[in-house]
Every structure is written in C-alpha cells, then in structure tokens.
Amino acid sequence: MSIRQLPEDLINRIAAGEVVERPASVVKELVENAIDAGATRIVVTTAGGGRSLIRVEDDGAGMDRDDLVLSVERHATSKLADDGLDNIRTLGFRGEALASIGAVAHLTVAARTENAASGLRIEVDRSRKSQVLPQAMNRGTIVTVRELFAGVPARLKFLKSDRAEAAAVADVVKRLAMANPQVHFVLDGSDRSPSNWPADGELRARVMQVMGADFAENAVPLATTRHGVVVTGLAGLPTYSRANSLSQFYFVNGRSVRDKVLLGAVRAAYADFVFRDRFPAIALFLSIDPAAVDVNVHPAKAELRFRDSGGVRGAVIRAILDALGEAGYRASSTVAEDVLGAFRAPETESAPIPVLGAAPSGAFSATSPATAGQERSQTASFDGLAEPSARYEAFELPPEEDSYPLGTARAQMFENFIVAQNGDALVLVDQHAAHERLVYERFKAELAGGPVASQMQLIPVVIEFPEEDCERLEDAAPTLARLGLYLERFGPRAIAVRETPALLGQSDIDGLVKDIADGLAEWDNSEALGDRLDSIIARMACHGSVRSGRVLRVDEMNALLREMERTPHSGQCIHGRPTYVELKKADLERMFGRTR
Ligand code: ADP
Ligand code: MG
C-alpha cells in the first residue's frame, strides 16, 4: 500500500479518539474554553449521560465572525501568542477540541462579543461546516453538542450507563469548579438534580460547596512554600479517611490533574496516620512556575511532568505534615457522630435497664469510694452484669478544667478508658491507643536528633530464635542500635539484648524483639531497612505503651491528656484509629431525648 496524506475529517476523527474519550471529556474541554474566555458564570447542561445533549453556556468574551469560523478548525487557537509551549497560562492551547468534537458529533457554536450588534453561530456535523448564521443571544458563548459518537460505534461501545457517564460529568465539573472559585457554576439537565455554586471567590467556600461542609469541618488548611512551590488547600484529618480516592482533588496552576508524584506524596505524608487501604480526603492546590512543569504530555492534559519532582514531593509532604501537626490532638468530628449513631434508644417493651431500675433515686451520687463500693456490691447481684470496672475518685472540679481541650480526668473504665470532662463535653480516651501514639512521636522526635537513648540491662536478656531470625536480627542490629536497641548474636540460635530504648521503660523485651523479628521476616528483603524505621518504631511504641488493663492514677491520666494536647497527630493511634471521642453535653442530652 502506498503512503497517502489523510483527509482532514479522518485526521480530526483520529484526534478525537484522544481528546474526546467520553462525554465528561467533552464537558472538560468546553468548560476550560469558557474559563479561558474569562467567564464569570458557566452553565453546564447534559441529558442522556451527555450522549444526547451537552450544552455549555458562558458569559465570557465570545467570538467575532472570523474567530468563530476558525474556532472549529483544527490547530486553530488564540492561546499561543508566541510559538512556545513552555509558558502556558491558559487551560487550552492545542486548538483541537472543537474540531475534534465536531468530527464525532453534531456541534453548534454560538457566540457574541461585547460590541457586536447580535450573535452568530456555526454548525458542524461530523466535520461538515455550515455557513455562519445569526443567533439571538447575550454576550458570551454557547456550545451545544448533540448525538455524541453517533457515527462512531467503536467509541459508543465503551461508554458506560447513562448514570455512570453523568456521574463522570459531575466529577469533572466539580474539579473545574474547585479550581475556579471565582466562577459561578451551575450543573443542570435531566441527568441529575441541579447544583448551583455561586462564586464568593473564597476557596474554602467553594470546597465546602463541592466536597460538603463535613469535609471542610474535618480538614486543616495547607499553606507552605518550598522549592518555589506554593502549596495551599485543605487536608482532611486522618480519621476522616475514605475507602476510595474520589475525595482527593489535585490542582496544579489551576488545572485539575491526576499525577503520580502528587498521589505518592500524599500517601507518604499520611502513611503514619492512615491505613494503607484507606484514602485521606484532600484538596491540594499547587502553584509553580509554568516553566517548571510540562503540561503537554497527555492529550487531555490530565497528566503532567514536573521538572523537579523531588522538590514538589518534598513541598507537598511538608505542607501536609505541618498542617496535621498543628491540628495536633484533633480527631475528626465524625468519630463522635459515628458513636452517637451507634446508640439506639432502648425499646419501651423490653425489660427495664437493671441499674437504673434498681437504684433508688440519689443512690448514684458516688462521690466517695465507699459509696462506690456499696453500689458495686448491690449491682453485682444482677445476672449478666459483669463486675463494674470503674474507679471513682473524689473530685473537686479544678478551676482550670475549662482550659484544657481534652478536659480533666474523672475516672478510668475497664482499665483502659479514661473518662474526662472539659467545659461542655465528655471526653473518652483509649489510653493504650493514645499512649502508643505518644511513645511513637517521642521516638521520632528523639531519632531526629541522633540515636535514641538507651538503657543498659543489668543482665543481658537472652532470647532463643530459629537461625534465620537470628541472621535477620543480626543484619538489622546497626539499624536497631540507632533506635536504642542493642542486640548481639548469642550462639547459633539465640540473641542477647544488652540495651533497650530508654523511652520504653521496663517493658516486655522478649515480646518486642520477637515482634521485630516477625516484621523483618515479613518485609520484603529488597526494601532497605532504613525505609522501615517507622514500622519498627511503631512496633516498639506498641510494646512500650500503657497496655489496656493497667490501672492509672488520676494524676497519671491527666498527664497523659496534657501530653496528648502537646503532641502532633495524637488524635489517632499509629494504626489510624481514633484515640479519643468527644461527646458534647448537647449530644448527650439529645441521646437521652432531653432536648426540646
Ligand atoms: P484551544 O482551547 O486549545 O485553543 P479549542 O478547540 O478548544 O482549542 O478552541 C479553539 C479556539 O476557539 C480557542 O483558542 C478560542 O479562541 C475559541 N473558543 C473556544 N471556546 C470559546 C469560548 N467559550 N469563548 C470564547 N472563545 C472560545
Ligand atoms: Mg480548548
């Protein structure tokens, strides 16, 4: 077969295959054009999942007759003034969206400029262009796409249900709306109930409109500049993580992107706080010198390439860690909501709740240990009620109680839960989870300043292991020494522990070293142990923590609460579970139906 130059409509259809993958990609191109045209209000309407109708209407600059004719031509763009690709400040620049859409659908572009007496329109039906016709309209541009892919069965086959395509359209509009809080967005049409996001210019307000007030409430602001990268946006609290990545929004210079460097950086920043299979919610905005990023690596411009990806990664991780660090002990408010949701009012028919039913009124004013003891012997006779494991302390409200966010400890339940009260809330703390996080953070802080302090064992602890474990522990010994754990081979099948991290106090050395040996066996050998330091520290922290089941004195409990308030990330344990739950007095009243 001889080589021939392809006819233009075929070229356009080939290009359309890249740019116009599905209705959502058409919507993306059209809305980006409207934004580039300086629109302040954009209305997106779709029907049939975008297959039967897509209309994007804007109040931007519009086009005059010459521009209108050129706009539907391939490689015609108003956006590359000088012939360079390395300083792109508009969303579009390839000049092929309208031409491509016109190749695979029925396209109408209508436009009117500020000074024009009236509007004009041009129609393109699978690359056949009409004359320019008059069109009554206000300033701006209205692009209508009908019968998308009608003549392209190969493409139609790959489309999902109308509902799924409509959802993809909504997702695209969300991302564009978040990137452009200065623009009023309306999403309408028979595909959905309408969304209306007026512009008040504030990023935070827009994020709330799009991602919900819930997210904004459970997120902390980002604001870091590093390596010439400005990072802003909102980072969700770790306890607000999701099961998929739909609540992750990434923007670079106002462009919504999906980028491995950014995804990886977010994952790394949250690695300590969120389980591997959970996704933190985040709206991440990067501002970077346009010359330091190549946006021309993907036909739909969804991917990009950073010149200094290491610097970008560093800036993002720093921004998130700083923000989460400032949030400190804060756990997500949805934790308390989940707890409240779990309570159900007891059914009226069922047996009376034993304790309340049996206790004469006033008998529960357990202000002294003696009364508490009496109470215990009375209630102990109830079938099915375990011995209560609460400890009561005589309490005078300390005057400063209001000033502590986590309140003042009042009691310990089941040897693991600290009950505290701050001004208007009941705070329940999981002492083991909380302490684990505290020890972990202390470890990391100490390690940052050099090897962790150790304490000598009077008599080395000798632990027996299978030979492979001994080998692995011996290999890891220099790394473990940095963490304050000094091990030595002790014959073929034993390890001697000479010094342990001072932070851990008198803990279960045997269990700790076995745990580390398990970890070493489980981790991929190819992975440098240095990258596993955090996991080792986590294991150490777990062993060094106040186990559940340990009785704490009131001053010990309060010391724990105060340290939580001072320590970054203490709102969740190292496994990503919350360390405390706060129930507002109003929530408690609601639980008991006391609110009017
Ligand atoms: P690109 O956006 O890459 O330039 P398009 O095919 O999307 O290519 O658009 C071609 C040209 O048509 C744009 O450069 C712009 O001049 C004009 N245009 C498209 N949409 C609009 C709009 N909504 N308002 C004003 N001008 C538009
Ligand atoms: Mg464009």
Side-chain angles (χ1 to χ4, degrees), residues 48-71:
R51 244 176 296 216
S52 37
L53 172 74
I54 295 172
R55 187 171 63 234
V56 175
E57 189 179 340
D58 70 62
D59 62 356
M63 284 177 267
D64 60 18
R65 175 180 290 264
D66 292 348
D67 281 352
L68 185 63
V69 172
L70 272 179
S71 72

Side-chain angles (χ1 to χ4, degrees), residues 178-503:
M178 295 218 342
N180 297 279
Q182 78 287 357
V183 179
H184 179 173
F185 276 86
V186 178
L187 178 57
D188 206 348
S190 61
D191 275 338
R192 63 187 65 75
S193 54
S195 302
N196 184 12
W197 301 319
D200 82 354
E202 277 269 346
L203 177 62
R204 198 183 166 81
R206 178 53 56 83
V207 169
M208 270 170 83
Q209 289 168 341
V210 174
M211 293 179 73
D214 216 25
F215 168 70
E217 234 171 66
N218 289 292
V220 286
L222 299 171
T224 298
T225 304
R226 222 173 173 225
H227 306 303
V229 184
V230 183
V231 184
T232 53
L234 288 171
L237 294 174
T239 40
Y240 188 75
S241 64
R242 319 266 86 181
N244 61 44
S245 63
L246 278 178
S247 294
Q248 297 192 339
F249 294 82
Y250 299 94
F251 305 91
V252 175
N253 292 347
R255 194 189 292 280
S256 165
V257 295
R258 210 91 196 102
D259 175 73
K260 288 208 194 73
V261 174
L262 300 182
L263 289 169
V266 168
R267 182 141 286 247
Y270 279 93
D272 274 357
F273 326 117
V274 173
F275 257 144
R276 267 174 193 266
D277 59 348
R278 302 280 299 172
F279 296 82
I282 190 165
L284 185 74
F285 295 81
L286 254 63
S287 241
I288 181 171
D289 176 5
V293 44
D294 186 356
V295 291
N296 190 30
V297 294
H298 185 268
K301 292 162 279 178
E303 288 166 17
L304 38 72
R305 199 166 291 144
F306 294 108
R307 201 192 287 156
D308 172 19
S309 56
V312 169
R313 180 182 159 89
V316 170
I317 293 180
R318 187 73 269 147
I320 296 173
L321 290 182
D322 283 352
L324 293 179
E326 261 161 49
Y329 59 86
R330 242 179 95 196
S332 129
S333 69
T334 52
V335 174
E337 275 154 30
D338 291 348
V339 171
L340 287 172
F343 282 106
R344 267 178 217 94
E347 285 170 37
T348 37
E349 305 298 307
S350 67
I353 301 168
V355 175
L356 287 180
S361 62
F364 243 63
S365 55
T367 45
S368 76
T371 348
Q374 278 171 14
E375 195 59 47
R376 187 173 305 179
S377 55
Q378 280 173 21
T379 51
S381 61
F382 282 97
D383 272 350
L385 266 192
E387 177 83 359
S389 154
R391 294 169 60 250
Y392 297 87
E393 303 268 342
F395 49 82
E396 283 286 300
L397 275 196
E400 72 276 31
E401 96 137 5
D402 271 336
S403 57
Y404 293 125
L406 293 181
T408 310
R410 293 299 188 72
Q412 187 193 29
M413 305 287 296
F414 310 115
E415 274 85 46
N416 186 48
F417 297 98
I418 298 172
V419 183
Q421 182 186 328
N422 74 18
D424 67 339
L426 163 75
V427 180
L428 283 173
V429 176
D430 178 333
Q431 77 187 29
H432 176 64
H435 195 243
E436 204 173 81
R437 164 62 70 183
L438 296 181
V439 173
Y440 179 79
E441 294 294 336
R442 271 188 232 156
F443 247 114
K444 290 190 84 163
E446 244 198 85
L447 187 63
V452 173
S454 61
Q455 89 196 0
M456 184 85 88
Q457 296 296 310
L458 286 180
I459 307 157
V461 180
V462 174
I463 311 169
E464 290 189 10
F465 281 107
E467 207 158 339
E468 315 83 73
D469 281 335
C470 290
E471 304 283 341
R472 279 189 284 259
L473 284 167
E474 204 180 1
D475 286 346
T479 307
L480 297 176
R482 281 171 61 202
L483 300 175
L485 184 66
Y486 290 81
L487 306 177
E488 248 165 46
R489 189 71 176 256
F490 196 79
R493 270 178 288 279
I495 289 285
V497 183
R498 303 208 169 271
E499 293 175 45
T500 53
L503 274 175

Side-chain angles (χ1 to χ4, degrees), residues 29-30 32-33 36 79 91-98 301:
E29 294 294 333
L30 298 183
E32 288 187 347
N33 281 347
D36 282 344
K79 299 170 194 173
L91 294 169
F93 59 85
R94 299 166 66 104
E96 57 186 6
L98 292 183
K301 292 162 279 178

Side-chain angles (χ1 to χ4, degrees), residues 51 104-106 125-126 146-156:
R51 244 176 296 216
V104 292
H106 184 103
D125 190 16
R126 279 175 250 157
R146 290 202 159 85
E147 296 161 42
L148 180 64
F149 299 137
V152 197
R155 184 61 71 176
L156 271 183

Side-chain angles (χ1 to χ4, degrees), residues 40-221:
T40 63
R41 183 166 182 275
I42 298 174
V43 182
V44 179
T45 310
T46 69
R51 244 176 296 216
S52 37
L53 172 74
I54 295 172
R55 187 171 63 234
V56 175
E57 189 179 340
D58 70 62
D59 62 356
M63 284 177 267
D64 60 18
R65 175 180 290 264
D66 292 348
D67 281 352
L68 185 63
V69 172
L70 272 179
S71 72
V72 295
E73 296 293 333
R74 194 167 146 75
H75 300 316
T77 177
S78 55
K79 299 170 194 173
L80 289 180
D82 50 5
D83 295 329
L85 272 182
D86 38 38
N87 195 17
I88 291 165
R89 289 169 194 275
T90 49
L91 294 169
F93 59 85
R94 299 166 66 104
E96 57 186 6
L98 292 183
S100 301
I101 296 165
V104 292
H106 184 103
L107 167 73
T108 307
V109 184
R112 178 177 172 180
T113 57
E114 180 77 65
N115 301 320
S118 79
L120 299 165
R121 77 165 190 274
I122 189 167
E123 300 193 15
V124 185
D125 190 16
R126 279 175 250 157
S127 292
R128 279 194 316 277
K129 284 152 221 145
S130 76
Q131 298 295 325
V132 175
L133 306 160
Q135 163 89 35
M137 63 182 292
N138 293 327
R139 192 191 89 158
T141 303
I142 306 172
V143 180
T144 312
V145 180
R146 290 202 159 85
E147 296 161 42
L148 180 64
F149 299 137
V152 197
R155 184 61 71 176
L156 271 183
K157 246 194 341 224
F158 285 99
L159 292 189
K160 303 204 178 102
S161 66
D162 284 7
R163 187 200 299 259
E165 293 301 334
V169 167
D171 188 57
V172 157
V173 174
K174 274 185 188 174
R175 288 172 197 272
L176 288 159
M178 295 218 342
N180 297 279
Q182 78 287 357
V183 179
H184 179 173
F185 276 86
V186 178
L187 178 57
D188 206 348
S190 61
D191 275 338
R192 63 187 65 75
S193 54
S195 302
N196 184 12
W197 301 319
D200 82 354
E202 277 269 346
L203 177 62
R204 198 183 166 81
R206 178 53 56 83
V207 169
M208 270 170 83
Q209 289 168 341
V210 174
M211 293 179 73
D214 216 25
F215 168 70
E217 234 171 66
N218 289 292
V220 286

